[in-house]
């Protein structure tokens, strides 16, 4: 197959994922970013775990939506992540959910 066909397919998947994100974000309270994934969740707990020579973060989330193009079901009951990298957790406010009309993808 032509590389352009694959690129078009990936673009369509990304657009569909963005539209799904836009539709579900108002159902969630937190945005969580790790080095590997982006999550929306209604409960999140981040704990620093110290080892003898280092530390890592243990992130527990409940009622989760996972930003991943290739997942068949992005809604997950719970997620647990262990990481040595940075973790960003932001609490969303209701006013964050309104896109300006000029940014709307709907025609």
């Amino acid at each position: 197959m032509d590389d352009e066909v694959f690129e078009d397919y990936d673009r369509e998947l990304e657009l569909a994922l963005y539209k799904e994100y836009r539709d579900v974000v108002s159902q969630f309270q937190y945005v969580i970013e790790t080095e590997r994934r982006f999550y929306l969740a209604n409960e999140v707990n981040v704990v620093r775990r110290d080892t003898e020579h280092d530390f890592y973060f243990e992130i527990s989330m409940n009622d989760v939506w996972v930003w991943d193009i290739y997942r068949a079901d992005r809604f997950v009951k719970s997620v647990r992540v262990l990481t040595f990298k940075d973790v960003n957790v932001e609490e969303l406010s209701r006013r964050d959910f309104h896109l300006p009309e000029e940014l709307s993808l709907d025609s």
Side-chain angles (χ1 to χ4, degrees), residues 17-105:
L17 182 63
Y18 171 75
K19 287 180 178 181
E20 182 178 324
Y21 164 81
R22 186 189 61 195
D23 291 342
V24 303
V25 68
S26 64
Q27 300 173 35
F28 295 94
Q29 189 171 355
Y30 298 97
V31 172
I32 302 94
E33 291 179 89
T34 68
E35 78 279 2
R36 296 200 52 202
R37 293 273 191 284
F38 176 88
Y39 305 90
L40 298 172
N42 283 320
E43 293 178 31
V44 62
N45 185 34
V46 179
V47 177
R48 178 183 162 144
R49 303 284 186 197
D50 293 306
T51 64
E52 186 176 342
H53 300 290
D54 211 346
F55 67 91
Y56 64 93
F57 297 104
E58 180 177 354
I59 309 150
S60 301
M61 297 171 269
N62 292 314
D63 189 18
V64 182
W65 183 87
V66 183
W67 181 286
D68 188 337
I69 291 175
Y70 302 107
R71 289 181 71 100
D73 187 6
R74 286 180 273 280
F75 290 94
V76 182
K77 183 177 180 177
S78 64
V79 174
R80 181 173 167 244
V81 176
L82 304 176
T83 182
F84 289 96
K85 306 281 184 162
D86 289 343
V87 176
N88 184 41
V89 177
E90 296 179 23
E91 186 170 5
L92 298 171
S93 65
R94 293 292 173 205
R95 68 177 181 267
D96 290 340
F97 303 138
H98 294 50
L99 282 177
E101 193 63 36
E102 63 269 12
L103 296 179
S104 176
L105 296 175

Side-chain angles (χ1 to χ4, degrees), residues 4-19:
E4 192 171 309
V5 173
F6 286 119
E7 289 176 15
D8 289 344
Y9 178 71
D10 277 347
R11 266 188 297 245
E12 288 297 319
L13 286 176
E14 287 177 12
L15 180 59
L17 182 63
Y18 171 75
K19 287 180 178 181

